[in-house]
Amino acid sequence: MDGNGRWARRRRLPRIEGHRAGVKSVRAAMEVCRDRGVPVLTLYTFSLENWRRPQAEVDELMSLLHRYLSREARRLVENRVRFLALGRLGMLPPKVRAKVEEISAATAGNERLTLCLALSYGGRAEIVDAVNAAAAARAAAGGSPASLTEADIAAHLYAPGLPPPDLVIRTSGEQRLSNFLLWEAVGARLVFVPDLWPDFTAKRFTALLAAERARRAAEVA
């Protein structure tokens, strides 16, 4: 979800206003996925690198995240949306982490759409954490970590039960992954669009999904 800061800067607004405007695009993306049968939507919300931003901005982002989760909790339940968070969640402020855990538990049985927020997330960190967890599990079972397989590592990713993504969309015109789902997205189609995230509309997202589905249908044919 790239481009919030540039969106605000072009309007001579504080950066946090760009993040607030981006919440509307989050809702739009969720509704498109829900209505068009997309089973999983993962949004790169806050990276490990984002912790290096000025403390005032980080505090504002964490406050905005907490307000968003508190406000959307009922909507997620009513729309049968399952909520997950991926990342080093122990780094989140206690208040935010508690809200993440609360909503994850409250929506665990929902099955219409799974919404994943990548929070305090980095693709390399996820792989390191998965390797360490797999090695510990192998050692606890009396085996050798030297014999780990791809399946062992995949089983210890942050959300091992989720399918790999078919499509990765990056907004704002940047053409890079920025440490997002490095393991999971190995087979995904990458799409880069010029829209800043607050300008990423349901119409644009729907068109991208339709193009991807048409492409896959053509491959099968």
Side-chain angles (χ1 to χ4, degrees), residues 52-131:
R52 301 172 190 162
R53 292 185 178 185
Q55 189 60 49
E57 182 179 356
V58 170
D59 291 344
E60 285 273 17
L61 286 169
M62 289 295 111
S63 178
L64 177 62
L65 175 60
H66 187 270
R67 289 198 302 274
Y68 168 79
L69 293 174
S70 299
R71 189 170 57 242
E72 296 297 316
R74 172 184 259 181
R75 188 194 303 263
L76 295 176
V77 172
E78 291 176 349
N79 287 281
R80 306 198 311 276
V81 176
R82 176 190 178 204
F83 174 80
L84 292 176
L86 316 177
R88 291 182 172 173
L89 305 181
M91 297 176 67
L92 297 173
K95 183 178 179 181
V96 174
R97 185 177 180 184
K99 182 60 67 174
V100 165
E101 292 173 350
E102 173 191 326
I103 299 177
S104 296
T107 63
N110 295 343
E111 54 188 23
R112 188 172 184 182
L113 168 69
T114 295
L115 171 67
C116 302
L117 298 189
L119 298 171
S120 191
Y121 177 87
R124 287 183 174 181
E126 180 179 23
I127 294 170
V128 169
D129 291 348
V131 169

